[in-house]
Every structure is written in C-alpha cells, then in structure tokens.
Amino acid sequence: MTHATQKVALVTGASRGIGRAIAQKLAADGFAVVVNYAGSASLAEQAVADIEANGGRALAVQADIADPDAVERLFAQALETFGRLDVVVNNAGILQMARITTDNVGLLDKTLLTNLRGSWLVMAKAAEVLEEGGRIIALSSSVLGKSFPGYGAYIASKAGVEGLVKVLANELRGRKIAVNGVAPGPVATELFFTGKSEEQVQSIANLAPFERLGQPDEIADAVAFLAGPQGGWVNGQILRVNGGMV
Ligand code: NDP
C-alpha cells in the first residue's frame, strides 16, 4: 500500500490502557496511527515501536487534549506526517472519585477540563479535517447506567460526551462522517484499579453476568468495528461494551 492511500487514525491517550490497545488494533487493521499522550513519552514511544515491529507505521505526539493550541499542533503533526486523517478516537480521559459536595467542585472542574472540554476540542478538530467516509469515536463509560456514589464528576463529564456524539453526528450531515461513542464497563487498566481495594475490584468485576473485568483488547475490538468497513452504517450511537453489566 502506498503512503497516500493508507488510511490514518489518531488515538488520544494511546500511551497505555485502552487507548494503547486501540492504537495497536487499528495498526493491525492497516491504519497508520498517531499515538497521542499527555506525559508518558517513553510509554508512547514503546507503543510506536511495537506497531513498527509488526510492520505498521506510527507516530507519538504529546498534547494535552484540553489545550486548543496543543490539539491544533497534534492534528497538524498528524497531517504533516501521514498526509490524511480517516479516523479519530478520543480516548484520553481521567477518573477521580469524589462525592458531590461543595468542597469537591475543583475536582468537577478538573474532570470536565480533560473529559468534556478535551472531547469537544478533539471532536471539533476531527470534524474539520476528516476525509469523506471518516469516523469519529469518543469514549464514554457504562457507569452512566449505574450512577454509583462518588462518580458524579466523571458521570457528568461522560454524559456530556454522549451528548456531543449525538449532536455532532447531526452537524456533519452531508459529510458522510459517522460519529459514535463506545461506553466500556470496568476494564483492567490503571484508571480503574487506582484507589480501589481488592475487594472493591472483585465486587465491581462481579456486576457483569460474565463475572470478570473487561480487557483493553475487548474495547479495542468494538472501536475497530466502528472504525472499519463493517461499522459504516452505525451513526450517532453509544455502544456499551461491558459483558452485560448494565
Ligand atoms: P488510563 O488511565 O489507563 O490511560 C489514560 C490515557 O489518557 C493515557 O494514555 C494518558 O496519557 C491519557 N491522558 C490523560 N489525560 C490526558 C490529556 N489531558 N491529554 C492527553 N492525554 C491524556 O485510562 P483507560 O485506558 O482506563 O481509559 C481510557 C478511556 O476509557 C477513558 O476515557 C476512560 O474514561 C474510559 N473508560 C475506562 C474504563 C475503565 O474501567 N478503565 C471504563 C469506562 C470508560 P499519559 O500516559 O501520558 O498520562
């Protein structure tokens, strides 16, 4: 395949966890991949090296998705290096637990900054530059269906993301670009394990009839479906991928 015809995907937060699995899967499916990260330069370079070792093409780009200038630079570097963009996956996100109290409003601001403002910026830029037939995929969370105590800021941010997905799908009328969300249940990553006891982890894992956590690869498979030829007629939807948790 020549460089001009190879499709290109950009994945935010692809240095580790679910994003890294998505980058790897899309590379295996034939995309050149932009591996975005916030601070983990060596992990991102490792992800790129893994893709290249399997015969793929990839580029690591640092950018805080909540910063408009950084997002501008991220997309510019992607286009400069690979010449086109077909798929953008906004996966970068943070989770910090806090109950809904006046004291915790700073945590709401911080969560919205990355998860909602970051999604807005990445999805907006994707809408601007994607090729016809392009796909935008945003990561939400199945925890919206559970409303657990302590998840207020996170759920508010992801409810916002689901809103953006549906509105943007309508705003892109005539462009042949599909916009969808993927809402994982609990997945074995740093984001999920941080701050939880072994007992808490087990009881959350048991919520799904399959009685286990999801793996990053299982989320990547759903994203790859939406990004690939078989997902073309899915638009404006939120796909829950959670082993039946909700
Ligand atoms: P991890 O914490 O394992 O990885 C987060 C990734 O996002 C890292 O690559 C990190 O980069 C990057 N990141 C964080 N903040 C920013 C930022 N401001 N700008 C750019 N990149 C950033 O998370 P997961 O893989 O678990 O989660 C991925 C997505 O899936 C998130 O949106 C999350 O909300 C969602 N999700 C996760 C679930 C789970 O149980 N794990 C369940 C449901 C949804 P760096 O390494 O440089 O810090």
Side-chain angles (χ1 to χ4, degrees), residues 170-206:
N170 285 328
E171 289 185 354
L172 292 182
R173 174 177 291 272
R175 295 269 312 276
K176 299 188 174 68
I177 294 172
V179 188
N180 291 291
V182 168
V187 177
T189 70
E190 211 174 315
L191 175 142
F192 172 75
F193 288 121
T194 301
K196 294 187 178 75
S197 68
E198 220 166 282
E199 265 179 1
Q200 284 172 315
V201 167
Q202 199 46 55
S203 74
I204 293 172
N206 284 339

Coordinates of all heavy atoms in Angstrom, one line a residue, residues 170-206:
N170 N -25.3 14.9 13.9 CA -26.3 15.7 13.1 C -25.6 16.9 12.4 O -26.0 17.2 11.3 CB -27.4 16.2 14.0 CG -28.4 15.1 14.4 OD1 -28.6 14.2 13.6 ND2 -28.9 15.2 15.6
E171 N -24.6 17.5 13.1 CA -24.0 18.7 12.5 C -23.2 18.3 11.2 O -22.9 19.1 10.4 CB -23.0 19.3 13.5 CG -23.9 20.1 14.6 CD -23.0 20.9 15.6 OE1 -21.8 20.8 15.5 OE2 -23.6 21.6 16.4
L172 N -22.8 17.0 11.1 CA -22.0 16.5 10.0 C -22.8 16.0 8.8 O -22.3 15.4 7.9 CB -21.0 15.5 10.5 CG -19.9 16.1 11.4 CD1 -18.8 15.1 11.8 CD2 -19.2 17.3 10.7
R173 N -24.1 16.3 8.9 CA -25.0 15.9 7.7 C -24.4 16.3 6.4 O -23.8 17.4 6.3 CB -26.3 16.6 7.9 CG -27.3 16.4 6.7 CD -28.6 17.1 7.0 NE -29.4 16.4 8.1 CZ -30.2 15.4 7.9 NH1 -30.4 14.9 6.7 NH2 -30.8 14.8 8.9
G174 N -24.4 15.4 5.5 CA -23.8 15.7 4.1 C -22.3 15.4 4.0 O -21.8 15.5 2.9
R175 N -21.6 15.2 5.1 CA -20.2 14.9 5.0 C -19.8 13.5 5.0 O -18.6 13.1 4.8 CB -19.5 15.6 6.3 CG -19.6 17.1 6.3 CD -18.4 17.8 5.7 NE -17.1 17.3 6.0 CZ -16.5 17.7 7.1 NH1 -17.0 18.5 8.0 NH2 -15.3 17.2 7.4
K176 N -20.8 12.6 5.2 CA -20.5 11.1 5.2 C -19.5 10.7 6.3 O -18.6 9.9 6.1 CB -20.1 10.6 3.9 CG -21.1 10.8 2.8 CD -20.7 10.1 1.5 CE -21.8 10.2 0.4 NZ -22.0 11.6 -0.1
I177 N -19.6 11.4 7.4 CA -18.7 11.1 8.6 C -19.6 10.6 9.7 O -20.5 11.3 10.1 CB -17.9 12.3 9.0 CG1 -16.9 12.8 7.9 CG2 -17.1 12.1 10.3 CD1 -16.2 14.1 8.2
A178 N -19.3 9.4 10.2 CA -20.1 8.8 11.3 C -19.4 9.2 12.7 O -18.2 9.2 12.8 CB -20.1 7.3 11.2
V179 N -20.3 9.5 13.6 CA -19.8 9.9 15.0 C -20.5 8.9 16.0 O -21.7 8.9 16.0 CB -20.2 11.3 15.3 CG1 -19.5 11.7 16.6 CG2 -19.8 12.3 14.2
N180 N -19.7 8.2 16.7 CA -20.3 7.3 17.7 C -19.5 7.3 19.0 O -18.4 7.7 19.1 CB -20.3 5.8 17.1 CG -21.2 5.7 16.0 OD1 -22.4 5.7 16.2 ND2 -20.7 5.5 14.8
G181 N -20.1 6.8 20.1 CA -19.5 6.6 21.3 C -19.3 5.1 21.7 O -20.2 4.3 21.3
V182 N -18.3 4.8 22.4 CA -18.1 3.5 23.0 C -18.1 3.6 24.5 O -17.3 4.4 25.0 CB -16.9 2.8 22.5 CG1 -16.5 1.5 23.3 CG2 -17.0 2.4 21.0
A183 N -18.9 2.9 25.2 CA -19.0 3.1 26.6 C -18.7 1.7 27.3 O -19.5 0.9 27.5 CB -20.5 3.4 27.0
P184 N -17.4 1.6 27.7 CA -16.9 0.3 28.3 C -17.5 0.2 29.7 O -17.7 1.2 30.4 CB -15.4 0.5 28.4 CG -15.1 1.7 27.5 CD -16.3 2.5 27.5
G185 N -17.6 -1.0 30.2 CA -17.8 -1.3 31.6 C -16.4 -1.3 32.2 O -15.4 -1.0 31.5
P186 N -16.2 -1.8 33.5 CA -14.9 -1.8 34.1 C -13.9 -2.6 33.3 O -14.1 -3.7 32.9 CB -15.2 -2.4 35.5 CG -16.5 -2.9 35.4 CD -17.3 -2.3 34.3
V187 N -12.7 -2.0 33.0 CA -11.7 -2.6 32.2 C -10.4 -2.5 33.1 O -10.1 -1.5 33.7 CB -11.5 -1.8 30.9 CG1 -10.3 -2.4 30.1 CG2 -12.7 -1.8 30.1
A188 N -9.6 -3.6 33.0 CA -8.4 -3.7 33.8 C -7.3 -2.8 33.3 O -6.4 -3.1 32.5 CB -7.9 -5.2 33.7
T189 N -7.3 -1.5 33.8 CA -6.3 -0.5 33.5 C -6.0 0.2 34.8 O -6.8 0.1 35.8 CB -6.8 0.5 32.4 OG1 -7.8 1.3 33.0 CG2 -7.3 -0.1 31.2
E190 N -4.9 1.0 34.7 CA -4.6 1.9 35.8 C -5.7 2.8 36.3 O -5.9 2.9 37.5 CB -3.4 2.7 35.4 CG -2.4 3.1 36.4 CD -1.2 3.9 35.8 OE1 -0.7 3.4 34.7 OE2 -0.8 4.9 36.4
L191 N -6.4 3.3 35.3 CA -7.6 4.2 35.6 C -8.6 3.5 36.5 O -9.1 4.1 37.5 CB -8.2 4.7 34.3 CG -9.5 5.6 34.4 CD1 -9.5 6.6 33.4 CD2 -10.8 4.7 34.4
F192 N -8.8 2.2 36.2 CA -9.8 1.5 37.0 C -9.3 1.1 38.4 O -9.9 1.2 39.4 CB -10.3 0.3 36.3 CG -11.2 -0.6 37.1 CD1 -12.5 -0.2 37.4 CD2 -10.7 -1.8 37.6 CE1 -13.3 -1.0 38.2 CE2 -11.5 -2.6 38.4 CZ -12.8 -2.2 38.7
F193 N -8.0 0.6 38.4 CA -7.5 0.0 39.7 C -7.2 1.0 40.7 O -7.3 0.8 41.9 CB -6.3 -0.9 39.4 CG -6.6 -2.2 38.7 CD1 -6.0 -2.5 37.4 CD2 -7.4 -3.1 39.3 CE1 -6.3 -3.7 36.8 CE2 -7.7 -4.3 38.6 CZ -7.2 -4.6 37.4
T194 N -6.8 2.2 40.3 CA -6.3 3.3 41.2 C -7.3 3.6 42.3 O -8.4 3.9 42.0 CB -5.9 4.6 40.4 OG1 -4.9 4.2 39.5 CG2 -5.4 5.6 41.4
G195 N -6.9 3.4 43.5 CA -7.7 3.8 44.7 C -8.7 2.8 45.1 O -9.5 3.0 46.0
K196 N -8.7 1.6 44.5 CA -9.7 0.6 44.8 C -9.0 -0.6 45.5 O -8.0 -1.1 45.1 CB -10.4 0.0 43.6 CG -11.3 1.1 42.9 CD -12.1 0.4 41.7 CE -13.0 1.4 41.1 NZ -12.3 2.3 40.1
S197 N -9.7 -1.1 46.6 CA -9.2 -2.3 47.3 C -9.5 -3.5 46.4 O -10.3 -3.5 45.5 CB -9.9 -2.5 48.6 OG -11.2 -2.8 48.4
E198 N -8.8 -4.7 46.8 CA -9.0 -5.9 46.0 C -10.5 -6.3 46.1 O -11.1 -6.8 45.1 CB -8.1 -7.0 46.6 CG -7.5 -7.9 45.5 CD -6.4 -8.7 46.1 OE1 -5.3 -8.2 46.3 OE2 -6.7 -9.9 46.4
E199 N -11.1 -6.1 47.3 CA -12.5 -6.4 47.5 C -13.4 -5.6 46.6 O -14.3 -6.1 45.9 CB -12.9 -6.2 48.9 CG -12.8 -7.4 49.8 CD -13.2 -7.0 51.2 OE1 -13.6 -5.9 51.5 OE2 -13.1 -8.0 52.0
Q200 N -13.1 -4.3 46.5 CA -13.9 -3.4 45.6 C -13.8 -3.8 44.2 O -14.8 -3.9 43.5 CB -13.5 -2.0 45.8 CG -13.9 -1.3 47.1 CD -13.3 0.1 47.3 OE1 -12.1 0.3 47.1 NE2 -14.1 1.0 47.7
V201 N -12.6 -4.1 43.8 CA -12.3 -4.6 42.4 C -13.2 -5.8 42.1 O -13.9 -5.9 41.1 CB -10.8 -4.9 42.1 CG1 -10.6 -5.6 40.8 CG2 -10.0 -3.6 42.1
Q202 N -13.1 -6.8 43.0 CA -13.8 -8.0 42.8 C -15.4 -7.8 42.7 O -16.1 -8.4 41.9 CB -13.5 -9.1 43.9 CG -13.8 -10.5 43.5 CD -13.3 -10.9 42.1 OE1 -12.2 -10.7 41.7 NE2 -14.2 -11.3 41.2
S203 N -15.9 -7.0 43.6 CA -17.3 -6.8 43.6 C -17.8 -6.0 42.4 O -18.8 -6.3 41.8 CB -17.8 -6.1 44.9 OG -17.5 -4.8 44.9
I204 N -17.0 -5.1 41.9 CA -17.3 -4.4 40.6 C -17.2 -5.4 39.4 O -18.1 -5.4 38.5 CB -16.4 -3.2 40.4 CG1 -16.7 -2.1 41.5 CG2 -16.7 -2.6 39.0 CD1 -15.8 -0.9 41.5
A205 N -16.2 -6.3 39.5 CA -16.0 -7.2 38.4 C -17.2 -8.2 38.3 O -17.7 -8.6 37.2 CB -14.7 -8.1 38.6
N206 N -17.8 -8.5 39.5 CA -18.9 -9.4 39.6 C -20.2 -8.8 39.1 O -21.2 -9.6 39.0 CB -19.1 -9.9 41.0 CG -18.0 -11.0 41.3 OD1 -17.4 -11.6 40.4 ND2 -17.8 -11.2 42.6

